[in-house]
Amino acid sequence: MLISLSEIMTTKDKVIQINAPIELERFDYQGISYEFAHKEPVNLSITHLGNKVVMIEGNTNISLTLFCSRCLKEIDFPMNIEIQKEVDFNLTDEERADGLDETNFIIGYNLDVDTLIYDEILIGFPMKLLCSEDCKGLCKNCGTNLNEKSCDCDTFVYDPRMAVIQDIFNNFKEV
Ligand SMILES: [Zn+2]
Ligand SMILES: [Zn+2]
């Protein structure tokens, strides 16, 4: 959702208060698309502090459906998002970028709510997530979820005679 800020820019101390829906359908990150288990509109308050400097404050609660890093079980990951950003509209887009100011959520005189939220989710996104501290993960050989049951692979002993048979079988397939 884009919110035009040009209207409040004419008057100092003018405030916009709005409940802006999050229109992001999913959170795409590193080639994976994560679903929202829950999302609420962003409770936004945007204040013109004067001289084209705007304070953007907001909060929302969302929850993403993520996966355990070991066993891939789905986990609801709630995030409480608190936003407080000051944007100086006297600067050009390039000047803001040079100042390492993360204001890619500003397009001209518009606030892009979804980009703002995307950035905040990115900051809070966990590098690693476990369904429990002692998650046993998946068997690397057969894929069994070792939290639910054990498999026979744990006792697997490498037998060179089997490898020879495997080679013969593979050669046979190639003919
Ligand atoms: Zn797990
Ligand atoms: Zn196994």
Side-chain angles (χ1 to χ4, degrees):
M1 181 183 182
L2 287 182
I3 298 173
S4 171
L5 304 180
S6 49
E7 195 188 316
I8 61 165
M9 218 67 85
T10 54
T11 317
K12 186 177 180 298
D13 297 328
K14 192 148 184 186
V15 181
I16 296 176
Q17 277 184 320
I18 186 168
N19 270 325
I22 299 172
E23 287 166 355
L24 275 180
E25 289 293 330
R26 287 152 189 275
F27 179 72
D28 292 322
Y29 180 54
Q30 293 187 334
I32 303 174
S33 199
Y34 299 96
E35 305 241 9
F36 285 93
H38 174 76
K39 62 182 176 182
E40 291 172 13
V42 190
N43 184 17
L44 274 174
S45 175
I46 306 162
T47 310
H48 180 210
L49 301 174
N51 192 29
K52 290 171 111 182
V53 178
V54 167
M55 176 63 85
I56 299 165
E57 290 167 296
N59 59 74
T60 186
N61 293 301
I62 64 127
S63 184
L64 283 178
T65 303
L66 303 184
F67 302 93
C68 172
S69 303
R70 283 187 200 150
C71 74
L72 305 180
K73 183 185 170 187
E74 282 190 3
I75 304 171
D76 275 3
F77 186 75
M79 297 173 89
N80 175 242
I81 295 173
E82 296 278 347
I83 298 156
Q84 195 170 40
K85 308 268 185 195
E86 197 177 288
V87 181
D88 185 347
F89 282 89
N90 296 295
L91 302 177
T92 63
D93 289 349
E94 289 86 38
E95 283 172 327
R96 273 194 232 123
D98 286 347
L100 294 176
D101 193 5
E102 298 289 326
T103 49
N104 60 338
F105 48 84
I106 297 293
I107 304 163
Y109 279 99
N110 295 305
L111 167 64
D112 181 347
V113 177
D114 290 301
T115 303
L116 180 67
I117 293 302
Y118 182 94
D119 289 353
E120 291 300 313
I121 295 174
L122 197 60
I123 291 164
F125 197 81
M127 295 295 288
K128 186 180 171 186
L129 190 64
L130 295 178
C131 61
S132 78
E133 275 304 314
D134 55 357
C135 171
K136 297 190 187 77
L138 303 178
C139 169
K140 287 182 180 65
N141 192 46
C142 72
T144 294
N145 185 338
L146 299 173
N147 299 313
E148 289 165 5
K149 58 182 178 182
S150 56
C151 63
D152 297 331
C153 306
D154 296 339
T155 56
F156 179 79
V157 178
Y158 181 72
D159 183 342
R161 284 172 301 173
M162 286 300 290
V164 171
I165 292 168
Q166 194 71 44
D167 285 347
I168 292 166
F169 181 70
N170 286 339
N171 288 338
F172 180 71
K173 267 204 306 193
E174 282 164 21
V175 172

